[in-house]
């Protein structure tokens, strides 16, 4: 079965870019009908969808974050990435990568804590 693992710095300074990588094993990110997603949960708040890159390489974003967000992939490494620019302390959250199917099933990584602080 598919496994996903987030990686990247746990501390980012305000105004910098938050960069995370999701490494996928047990399946190819180019497999038809999968959408490779980023989701976050700030402390004490609910889950927030950030966006995804589709199996065809097209990216889509939550409108509230679109102006600051880029999701891309490296198919040779079976990885996809998140870049969130101009971060503030309000971007502090646990960040998850996940695989979304066309039937709205989700397979999650473990999540990684990212703190925005000087």
């Amino acid at each position: 079965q598919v496994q996903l693992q987030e990686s990247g710095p746990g501390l980012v300074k305000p105004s910098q870019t938050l960069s995370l990588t999701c490494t996928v094993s047990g399946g190819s990110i180019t497999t038809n009908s999968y959408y490779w997603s980023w989701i976050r949960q700030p402390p004490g708040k609910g889950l927030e969808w950030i966006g995804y890159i589709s199996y065809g390489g097209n990216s889509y974003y939550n409108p509230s974050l679109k102006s600051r967000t880029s999701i891309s992939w490296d198919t040779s490494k079976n990885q996809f990435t998140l870049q969130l620019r101009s971060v503030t302390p309000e971007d502090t959250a646990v960040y998850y990568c996940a695989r979304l199917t066309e039937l709205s099933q989700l397979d999650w990584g473990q999540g990684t804590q990212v703190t925005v602080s000087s």
Side-chain angles (χ1 to χ4, degrees):
Q1 62 181 10
V2 69
Q3 293 183 323
L4 299 88
Q5 178 66 60
E6 303 90 347
S7 62
L11 181 65
V12 183
K13 295 183 181 299
S15 81
Q16 299 299 302
T17 296
L18 184 160
S19 297
L20 296 173
T21 296
C22 185
T23 300
V24 178
S25 61
S28 172
I29 60 175
T30 61
T31 298
N32 287 353
S33 303
Y34 294 136
Y35 301 82
W36 303 96
S37 306
W38 288 100
I39 302 153
R40 70 180 184 180
Q41 186 169 32
K45 299 181 180 179
L47 296 168
E48 181 179 32
W49 175 68
I50 299 169
Y52 65 74
I53 184 166
S54 76
Y55 62 92
N58 299 312
S59 299
Y60 299 88
Y61 309 111
N62 185 332
S64 69
L65 299 170
K66 182 178 180 179
S67 66
R68 298 193 290 135
T69 306
S70 295
I71 297 174
S72 57
W73 64 6
D74 184 340
T75 58
S76 70
K77 297 180 179 179
N78 216 39
Q79 296 175 330
F80 64 103
T81 62
L82 170 69
Q83 292 189 319
L84 184 64
R85 298 177 291 274
S86 302
V87 298
T88 74
E90 292 183 354
D91 293 309
T92 294
V94 177
Y95 285 76
Y96 300 91
C97 58
R99 183 183 70 175
L100 174 68
T101 75
E102 291 184 339
L103 297 177
S104 298
Q105 296 176 259
L106 283 171
D107 293 292
W108 299 74
Q110 291 295 117
T112 187
Q113 173 70 44
V114 180
T115 299
V116 179
S117 176
S118 60

